[in-house]
């Protein structure tokens, strides 16, 4: 933003200079070729240049001057920007290594309980981070390092962070009116295990800015590690905004990478927010929370067809044997995509009792996807399935050979 | 005649005003995108089991030079769930044999369904080597690029389809970046996403990856580097912001398979199939009264070799113009039709007037100026002033696009390359009469019914400097 404001300011200055010069030039030309009349200003006066006016000529000249001025500014900007980037890179390369080394030394010496070591390092870090850029660099280094450490080392780094007053900067960012600063603040909160702003984070769960919302969610999930009594996904109960698949993936990855406690996701399956329901269904599948099968079965009547589809998928993925019957019952009522998903789920559940139903699907359906999936499902039903397939291959009713060959070719599936 | 002169002048002013507006919307989009994505961790999404599966379709016709390395590059993309479908579109060289030999392919009993009608598929092949289990090769009778992609669409089972040119080089993280808009969808269904295509000439390539980005040495590719930067960073980003995007580059794009099939797949009779498919998918969604969007992301994700001689350039540009005319003609119902939203009110008219008609009007203007010059009825001072105005604006727009590049991705690491790129913008306006001539030629070819692709000479190199 600053860069754009600088460019615009320079352009405005150039434009004003050109305007003043152009006005003087107009008057000089006009005086030389004509005498002004009281009714006409200089700008609208016709001149002997293709019968046009001073105004038009001026507009053309201004535009040309403006375009070339901007070109010149861009050229200067590019040169300076490159220099600045190169300089930043050099400084960053040099100091990142220095800060990393110093932070490791600090942890080693403080852990060895060398007398006066802590004070000595704090003094050194204070001196090193006197400038704004260096402070920023050191803060990011402490945060990055803290994310990779555990236990006592976490405590030591957090202590250093507070001692250097960096926590105040984090608080300021959290309360900043600019969303990108706020996000930075949230990231620092969870990197440094700072739980004191959890109430603020809760306020931003339903933020209109989805990035602020997701970062608040990530921070809350991550900070739940600090308090074993807190449910890491408590916010799901109050989440009103849509929860995109991107956000769901991001949160799941945080759970995996940061070893977050896994709650029972069945508790939010009756949420009014459909995206919360889909997230919980995905998590139930990932963590194989099979005890939620009956709750998921209830979702087969959900008004949202996408929720129903995912519920069907998950019942198959958690191999909910008892759910085979309700799934078959829903087959005819469902939209095409969901019917297809039912067949796939029956394949995953692989209960030989479903063979008769699947045989009917193969015989009655015209859609080849449904037929292929049904044959695949029969093939998964052990010996009984194989016997059925052999019978089908010899069938006079329909020629199933192409489909069966496709299904039995292990290289394809 | 005064009407003609005034028309050209007003046309030019409206065109310039449109470019300025596009620049404004583009900067808005770019700023938003770069800020938002600075917090994105693409790696974790690429490896997540929750990420959707993607089918990459790469049509290949006489690509024996690069096909094996290109397939290897595709198989090594950084993403968890994907399959690579290479469609050998009846190549006359050793494309298919090289694939069979290098990937230990064997024919499988695939039940192939012609959901979208295509030329006959001779066989589906998979590798005996489990290392290549993500690879599927379709061998089919030649039917052109669109027909080959349609075969791939018929075969794939994943919800998202990524089509790429076999001679393009794509960045390892391109799937994750293209998938993101689909994953972020909330109210509106995302039906297509494109990424920025850059010029490969003079870049250093190793093992199918761009190792060092250099500005092309030769003038024509260098100019195209500037043109692509402007077209993608200024044009397509702005149209994406305005919801009027009409094209996703044929070199690389990701689409929703279901919408693609329901819209009827690629048009095999159109040489501008990349624009035609987007128009058709958009038409389908609008006619079904479904909320949707087509997005563009500014990340440079794909590298392609630009023609380096005038003959190849002419061949490429005439094909593009014919493709544009064909796509616009086939979907003329969209023109100023409110039911197609901003596409009908803004996008289509812009492409009709300023992409198709502008070079024709410019050509007429050049001819008329020459006539005035010969007949001695030109006011040279005024002419020079007007010319300088048009020239400075053209240079200005190019410089703005270089600035956008500098503020966002600065792929050209050397200062010298950026300065040379700026330098090209001063010479670019002198190329315009040649491009206008190509446009006239393309219009004549189209009226004569020419539907050929033409020949574009490419050096093609998967290793070394292109």
């Amino acid at each position: 933003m600053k860069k754009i404001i600088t460019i615009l300011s320079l352009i405005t200055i150039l434009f004003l200079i050109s305007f003043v010069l152009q006005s003087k030039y107009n008057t000089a030309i006009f005086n030389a070729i004509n005498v002004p009349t009281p009714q006409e200003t200089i700008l609208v006066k016709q001149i002997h240049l293709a019968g046009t006016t001073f105004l038009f000529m001026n507009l053309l000249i201004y535009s040309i001057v403006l375009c070339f001025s901007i070109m010149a500014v861009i050229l200067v900007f590019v040169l300076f920007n490159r220099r600045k980037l190169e300089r930043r890179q050099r400084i960053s390369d040099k100091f990142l290594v220095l800060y990393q080394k110093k932070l490791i030394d600090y942890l080693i010496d403080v852990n060895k309980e060398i007398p006066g070591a802590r004070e000595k390092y704090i003094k050194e870090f204070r001196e090193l981070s006197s400038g704004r850029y260096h402070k920023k660099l050191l803060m990011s280094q402490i945060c990055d390092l803290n994310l990779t450490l555990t236990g006592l080392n976490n405590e030591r780094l957090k202590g250093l962070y507070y001692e250097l007053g960096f926590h105040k900067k984090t608080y300021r960012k959290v309360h900043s009116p600019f969303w990108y600063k706020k996000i930075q603040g949230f990231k620092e909160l969870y990197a440094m295990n700072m739980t004191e702003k959890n109430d603020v984070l809760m306020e931003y769960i339903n933020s209109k800015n989805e990035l602020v919302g997701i970062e608040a969610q990530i921070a809350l999930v991550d900070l739940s590690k600090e308090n074993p009594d807190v449910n890491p996904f408590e916010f799901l109960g109050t989440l009103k905004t849509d929860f995109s698949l991107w956000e769901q993936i991001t949160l799941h990855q945080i759970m995996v990478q940061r070893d977050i406690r896994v709650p029972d996701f069945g508790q939010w399956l009756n949420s009014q927010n459909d995206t919360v329901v889909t997230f919980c269904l995905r998590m139930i599948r990932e963590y194989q929370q099979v005890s939620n099968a009956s709750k998921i079965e209830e979702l087969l009547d959900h008004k949202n067809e996408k929720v129903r589809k995912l519920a069907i998928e998950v019942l198959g993925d958690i191999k909910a044997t008892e759910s085979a019957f309700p799934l078959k019952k829903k087959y005819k009522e469902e939209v095409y995509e969901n019917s297809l998903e039912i067949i796939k789920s029956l394949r995953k559940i692989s209960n030989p009792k479903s063979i008769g139903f699947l045989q009917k699907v193969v015989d009655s359906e015209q859609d080849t996807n449904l037929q292929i999936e049904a044959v695949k499902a029969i093939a998964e039903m052990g010996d009984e399935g194989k016997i059925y397939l052999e019978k089908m291959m010899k069938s006079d009713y329909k020629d199933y050979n192409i489909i069966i060959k496709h299904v039995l070719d292990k290289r394809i599936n | 005649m005064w009407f003609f002169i005034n028309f050209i002048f007003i046309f030019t002013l409206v065109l310039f005003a449109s470019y300025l507006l596009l620049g404004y919307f583009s900067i808005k989009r770019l700023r938003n995108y770069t800020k938002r994505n600075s917090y994105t961790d693409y790696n974790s999404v690429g490896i997540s089991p929750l990420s959707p599966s993607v089918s990459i379709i790469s049509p290949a016709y006489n690509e024996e030079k690069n096909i094996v390395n290109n397939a290897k590059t595709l198989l090594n993309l950084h993403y968890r769930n994907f399959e690579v479908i290479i469609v050998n579109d009846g190549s006359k060289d050793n494309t298919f044999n090289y694939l069979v030999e290098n990937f230990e392919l064997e024919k499988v009993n695939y039940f192939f369904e012609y959901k979208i009608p295509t030329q006959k598929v001779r066989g589906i092949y998979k590798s005996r080597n489990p290392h290549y289990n993500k690879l599927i090769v379709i061998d089919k009778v030649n039917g052109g690029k669109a027909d080959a992609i349609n075969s791939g669409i018929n075969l794939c089972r994943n919800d998202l389809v990524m089509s790429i040119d076999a001679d393009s080089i794509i960045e390892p993280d391109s799937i994750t970046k293209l998938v993101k808009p689909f994953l972020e969808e909330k109210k509106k269904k995302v039906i297509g996403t494109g990424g920025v295509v850059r010029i490969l000439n003079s870049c250093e390539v190793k093992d199918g990856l761009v190792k060092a980005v250099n500005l092309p040495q030769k003038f024509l590719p260098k100019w195209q580097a500037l043109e692509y930067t402007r077209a993608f960073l200024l044009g397509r980003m702005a149209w994406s912001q305005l919801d009027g995007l009409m094209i996703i580059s044929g070199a690389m794009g990701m689409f929703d398979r279901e919408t693609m099939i329901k819209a009827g797949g690629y048009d095999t009779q159109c040489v501008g199939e990349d624009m035609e498919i987007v128009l058709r998918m958009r038409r389908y969604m609008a006619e079904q009264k479904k909320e949707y969007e087509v997005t563009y992301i500014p990340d440079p994700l794909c590298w392609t070799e630009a023609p380096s001689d005038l003959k190849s350039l002419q061949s490429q540009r005439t094909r593009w113009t014919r493709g544009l005319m064909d796509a616009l003609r086939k979907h003329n119902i969209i023109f100023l039709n409110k039911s197609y939203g901003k596409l009908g009110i803004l996008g289509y008219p812009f492409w009709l007037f300023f992409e198709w008609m502008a070079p024709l009007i410019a050509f007429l203007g050049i001819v008329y100026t020459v006539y005035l010059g010969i007949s001695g009825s030109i006011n040279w001072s005024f002419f020079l002033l007007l010319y300088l105005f048009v020239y400075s604006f053209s240079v200005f727009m190019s410089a703005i696009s270089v600035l956008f590049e500098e503020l966002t991705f600065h792929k050209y690491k050397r200062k010298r390359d950026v300065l040379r790129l700026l330098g090209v913008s001063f010479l670019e306006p002198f190329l315009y009469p040649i491009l206008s001539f190509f446009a006239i030629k393309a219009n004549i070819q189209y009226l004569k019914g020419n539907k050929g692709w033409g020949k574009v000479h490419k050096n093609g190199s998967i290793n070394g400097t292109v």
Side-chain angles (χ1 to χ4, degrees):
Chain A
M1 194 62 192
K2 272 182 198 162
K3 288 171 187 171
I4 294 166
I5 291 171
T6 317
I7 294 168
L8 288 176
S9 315
L10 280 169
I11 292 166
T12 316
I13 293 164
L14 281 169
F15 189 78
L16 287 174
I17 294 168
S18 78
F19 186 81
V20 173
L21 290 175
Q22 186 61 31
S23 306
K24 288 190 175 169
Y25 165 80
N26 280 346
T27 318
I29 294 275
F30 194 79
N31 287 341
I33 61 167
N34 215 335
V35 180
T37 57
Q39 290 82 20
E40 277 182 326
T41 65
I42 294 175
L43 282 176
V44 295
K45 185 82 185 166
Q46 291 255 322
I47 58 164
H48 301 294
L49 200 54
T52 187
T53 63
F54 262 115
L55 177 65
F56 180 62
M57 302 295 288
N58 274 335
L59 280 175
L60 286 182
I61 294 167
Y62 286 151
S63 307
I64 294 164
V65 171
L66 189 65
C67 287
F68 283 116
S69 308
I70 293 172
M71 282 283 300
V73 173
I74 290 173
L75 187 69
V76 173
F77 171 79
V78 167
L79 293 173
F80 274 99
N81 191 47
R82 285 286 156 143
R83 234 177 75 178
K84 197 177 91 186
L85 288 175
E86 282 163 10
R87 203 173 134 256
R88 279 236 168 128
Q89 192 59 47
R90 274 201 308 273
I91 292 174
S92 159
D93 289 347
K94 186 181 159 192
F95 284 95
L96 277 182
V97 178
L98 180 75
Y99 289 157
Q100 277 166 6
K101 193 178 170 299
K102 270 246 173 293
L103 286 168
I104 302 285
D105 289 349
Y106 161 79
L107 288 174
I108 293 168
D109 288 357
V110 172
N111 283 338
K112 278 185 195 164
E113 295 181 358
I114 296 171
R118 194 168 170 273
E119 290 71 25
K120 185 194 111 190
Y121 276 106
I122 287 172
K123 197 181 162 206
E124 275 183 30
F125 279 125
R126 275 218 177 97
E127 282 166 13
L128 280 170
S129 62
S130 53
R132 211 173 129 195
Y133 181 67
H134 288 274
K135 195 171 275 178
K136 204 172 146 186
L137 211 60
L138 182 58
M139 274 179 85
S140 73
Q141 280 307 294
I142 298 177
C143 289
D144 288 350
L145 187 60
N146 205 41
L147 280 169
T148 61
L149 299 173
T150 50
L152 198 60
N153 284 328
N154 271 158
E155 290 305 312
R156 302 251 192 252
L157 275 182
K158 193 173 172 183
L160 177 69
Y161 199 80
Y162 278 72
E163 200 74 52
L164 293 170
F166 290 168
H167 65 296
K168 287 179 194 160
K169 279 189 88 71
T170 299
Y171 294 164
R172 274 203 293 276
K173 285 180 193 168
V174 168
H175 293 289
S176 165
F178 300 106
W179 65 267
Y180 46 91
K181 285 193 181 170
K182 209 181 275 296
I183 286 177
Q184 193 55 44
F186 293 175
K187 282 185 179 293
E188 286 166 11
L189 282 179
Y190 74 79
M192 296 311 300
N193 312 325
M194 295 157 74
T195 51
E196 53 270 35
K197 292 284 171 189
N198 277 10
D199 51 337
V200 181
L201 291 173
M202 273 306 278
E203 284 173 26
Y204 285 103
I205 287 299
N206 289 307
S207 169
K208 277 182 189 166
N209 183 328
E210 60 202 50
L211 282 182
V212 174
I214 181 71
E215 287 299 333
Q217 291 159 20
I218 291 172
L220 280 169
V221 169
D222 199 273
L223 288 168
S224 68
K225 283 193 305 183
E226 299 299 303
N227 188 350
D229 299 330
V230 172
N231 185 335
F233 287 91
E234 202 179 347
F235 69 87
L236 287 179
T238 50
L239 190 65
K240 290 185 180 71
T241 51
D242 277 352
F243 197 29
S244 73
L245 185 52
W246 182 267
E247 291 165 15
Q248 296 182 19
I249 290 172
T250 311
L251 268 190
H252 176 242
Q253 283 306 111
I254 291 288
M255 285 174 76
V256 175
Q257 288 162 2
R258 306 277 287 153
D259 201 19
I260 305 290
R261 269 174 298 119
V262 181
D264 175 11
F265 283 99
Q267 61 188 298
W268 296 289
L269 282 180
N270 55 358
S271 168
Q272 294 301 303
N273 185 338
D274 290 355
T275 54
V276 168
V277 179
T278 55
F279 174 65
C280 292
L281 282 170
R282 290 188 174 107
M283 292 303 103
I284 286 170
R285 173 171 58 193
E286 286 311 307
Y287 295 101
Q288 288 292 305
Q289 295 180 339
V290 287
S291 58
N292 286 309
S294 55
K295 284 183 185 168
I296 301 173
E297 267 180 40
E298 286 170 27
L299 293 175
L300 296 178
D301 293 316
H302 199 278
K303 59 184 186 305
N304 185 334
E305 121 187 5
K306 283 184 183 168
V307 174
R308 293 202 305 271
K309 187 181 177 200
L310 193 57
I312 295 166
E313 242 180 270
V314 175
L315 283 173
D317 289 328
I318 62 171
K319 301 198 189 314
T321 320
E322 300 302 314
S323 307
F325 180 69
L327 281 174
K328 284 185 267 185
K329 218 173 128 189
K330 287 282 166 196
Y331 179 79
K332 280 283 168 204
E333 298 168 19
E334 269 299 355
V335 293
Y336 169 76
E337 284 79 13
N338 292 6
S339 298
L340 188 64
E341 214 49 62
I342 288 176
I343 306 291
K344 287 181 185 172
S345 283
L346 289 175
R347 178 189 170 195
K348 291 174 207 160
I349 293 168
S350 67
N351 183 348
K353 283 181 188 166
S354 301
I355 292 180
F357 169 81
L358 293 165
Q359 170 76 64
K360 266 188 203 164
V361 172
V362 182
D363 286 339
S364 60
E365 294 289 354
Q366 297 302 311
D367 182 85
T368 44
N369 278 340
L370 286 170
Q371 287 179 319
I372 290 172
E373 288 306 327
V375 174
K376 273 186 191 172
I378 295 172
E380 294 285 318
M381 307 288 177
D383 291 339
E384 272 188 64
K386 276 176 196 154
I387 295 166
Y388 246 90
L389 285 187
E390 277 166 23
K391 264 195 222 168
M392 281 170 76
M393 282 183 96
K394 291 170 194 159
S395 166
D396 295 329
Y397 174 59
K398 265 185 185 177
D399 184 8
Y400 298 113
N401 284 3
I402 312 170
I403 291 175
I404 295 173
K405 271 184 190 169
H406 170 103
V407 170
L408 293 179
D409 195 329
K410 295 290 173 206
R411 296 164 300 182
I412 298 171
N413 305 297
Chain B
M1 200 45 81
W2 270 107
F3 169 77
F4 179 65
I5 294 166
N6 283 334
F7 170 73
I8 289 187
F9 186 70
I10 290 164
F11 184 87
T12 311
L13 285 186
V14 177
L15 178 68
F16 286 2
S18 316
Y19 282 149
L20 284 176
L21 277 172
L22 288 181
Y24 165 74
F25 285 110
S26 168
I27 202 158
K28 210 172 150 186
R29 179 86 175 180
L30 277 171
R31 194 168 161 260
N32 194 300
Y33 182 87
T34 43
K35 272 242 159 70
R36 284 171 64 102
N37 286 277
S38 56
Y39 300 101
T40 303
D41 178 11
Y42 285 104
N43 290 335
S44 62
V45 174
I47 57 168
S48 169
L50 304 185
S51 298
S53 303
V54 175
S55 296
I56 301 173
I57 303 173
S58 175
Y61 177 70
N62 293 348
E63 297 281 353
E64 65 178 12
K65 272 188 197 168
N66 291 325
I67 192 68
V68 174
N69 279 315
N70 271 336
K72 282 183 182 167
T73 309
L74 292 178
L75 290 168
N76 286 318
L77 289 174
H78 299 172
Y79 196 73
R80 186 180 168 128
N81 309 316
F82 73 99
E83 62 180 5
V84 176
I85 300 171
I86 293 180
V87 188
N88 173 47
D89 190 30
S91 297
K92 289 172 186 154
D93 64 359
N94 281 313
T95 303
F96 181 64
N97 294 336
Y98 287 174
L99 283 169
V100 172
E101 280 166 26
N102 284 280
F103 294 102
E104 302 161 50
L105 299 179
E106 61 182 0
K107 203 171 185 177
V108 291
N109 296 313
Y110 206 99
F111 176 69
F112 187 86
E113 200 184 359
Y114 293 84
K115 280 178 208 144
I116 304 169
T118 65
Q119 290 291 332
K120 191 172 182 272
V121 169
R122 292 189 284 235
I124 315 284
Y125 294 79
K126 286 213 64 166
S127 176
R128 284 186 295 270
N129 185 343
H131 187 64
Y132 301 125
N133 67 351
K134 284 182 173 170
L135 178 69
I136 304 173
V137 173
I138 301 178
D139 180 34
K140 66 180 276 293
V141 174
N142 180 267
K145 185 184 167 189
D147 192 67
I149 303 176
N150 283 342
S151 299
I153 297 168
N154 283 336
L155 182 90
C156 69
R157 298 267 178 266
N158 295 323
D159 292 339
L160 296 177
V161 171
M162 185 172 163
S163 73
I164 67 152
D165 279 350
D167 58 354
S168 297
I169 290 180
I170 65 172
E171 292 282 317
D173 57 354
S174 52
I175 306 183
T176 323
K177 287 190 171 168
L178 282 177
V179 152
K180 191 171 181 254
F182 290 92
L183 301 182
E184 285 178 324
E185 79 178 19
K186 285 187 172 169
K187 297 274 182 286
K188 290 181 179 176
K189 185 180 173 76
V190 177
I191 59 166
T193 305
V196 169
V197 180
R198 289 292 182 89
I199 300 294
L200 189 62
N201 306 47
S202 299
C203 292
E204 277 173 41
V205 179
K206 199 180 172 201
D207 301 326
L209 293 173
V210 178
K211 293 290 176 192
V213 179
N214 300 317
L215 191 70
Q217 293 295 324
K218 288 185 178 174
F219 176 72
L220 278 181
K222 195 160 41 187
W223 158 68
Q224 287 168 89
L226 177 70
E227 189 198 26
Y228 273 48
T229 307
R230 191 178 52 231
F232 283 96
L233 286 185
L234 269 180
R236 296 200 190 166
M237 289 315 295
W239 283 116
S240 175
Q241 173 76 15
L242 286 165
D243 191 25
L245 200 63
M246 283 189 27
I247 184 168
I248 286 177
S249 173
M252 187 192 60
M254 192 177 275
F255 301 93
D256 173 60
R257 186 178 69 104
E258 187 197 354
T259 314
M260 239 180 173
I261 291 177
K262 283 183 176 163
Y266 281 90
D267 183 346
T268 53
Q269 299 304 311
C270 183
V271 285
E273 80 295 329
D274 45 2
M275 175 184 267
E276 206 278 336
I277 186 71
V278 176
L279 277 174
R280 198 128 47 89
M281 286 171 76
R282 293 193 69 141
R283 250 185 92 175
Y284 169 80
M285 293 300 281
E287 283 161 9
Q288 298 296 312
K289 303 211 183 310
K290 289 179 181 169
E291 282 199 84
Y292 73 96
E293 61 181 323
V294 180
T295 60
Y296 231 92
I297 56 169
D299 295 83
L301 299 178
C302 176
W303 299 83
T304 189
E305 196 187 333
S308 51
D309 59 276
L310 260 182
K311 202 177 164 193
S312 298
L313 183 71
Q314 174 180 303
S315 183
Q316 184 196 55
R317 296 303 154 123
T318 48
R319 177 169 58 81
W320 285 3
T321 306
R322 281 185 281 122
L324 168 70
M325 290 170 73
D326 210 16
L328 290 177
R329 186 184 59 80
K330 282 181 177 162
H331 300 283
N332 56 13
I333 190 172
I334 296 172
F335 181 59
L336 294 178
N337 191 334
K338 270 197 289 183
S339 22
Y340 296 99
K342 286 176 188 154
L343 176 70
I345 305 299
L346 292 173
Y348 190 103
F350 180 88
W351 280 78
L352 179 75
F353 291 120
F354 299 139
E355 293 292 334
W356 173 57
M357 273 173 65
L360 305 181
I361 292 170
F363 191 78
L364 287 177
I366 292 165
V367 172
Y368 183 61
T369 310
V370 172
Y371 161 73
L372 287 180
I374 294 167
S375 63
S377 45
I378 203 162
N379 183 326
W380 285 107
S381 321
F382 189 60
F383 168 77
L384 283 174
L385 192 64
L386 271 180
Y387 185 79
L388 203 59
F389 166 67
V390 174
Y391 176 81
S392 61
F393 187 82
S394 158
V395 176
F396 162 74
M397 286 313 290
S398 299
I400 289 285
S401 60
V402 176
L403 176 70
F404 283 8
E405 154 69 9
E406 187 66 11
L407 289 172
T408 51
F409 302 101
H410 37 83
K411 277 279 173 186
Y412 295 112
K413 299 289 176 211
R414 293 183 302 187
K415 204 189 298 176
R416 200 181 62 186
D417 279 348
V418 186
L419 295 179
R420 280 168 63 211
L421 201 59
L422 274 172
V424 175
S425 63
F426 284 94
L427 297 174
E428 191 192 19
F430 299 109
L431 264 179
Y432 204 73
I434 302 172
L435 295 177
S436 299
F437 171 71
F438 291 164
I440 294 284
K441 203 171 170 187
N443 275 267
I444 295 167
Q445 284 175 352
Y446 184 75
L447 293 175
K448 281 183 176 174
N450 181 344
K451 301 225 169 187
W453 268 63
K455 272 192 178 173
V456 178
H457 173 74
K458 289 186 178 182
N459 293 317
S461 173
I462 210 81
N463 280 309
T465 307
V466 179

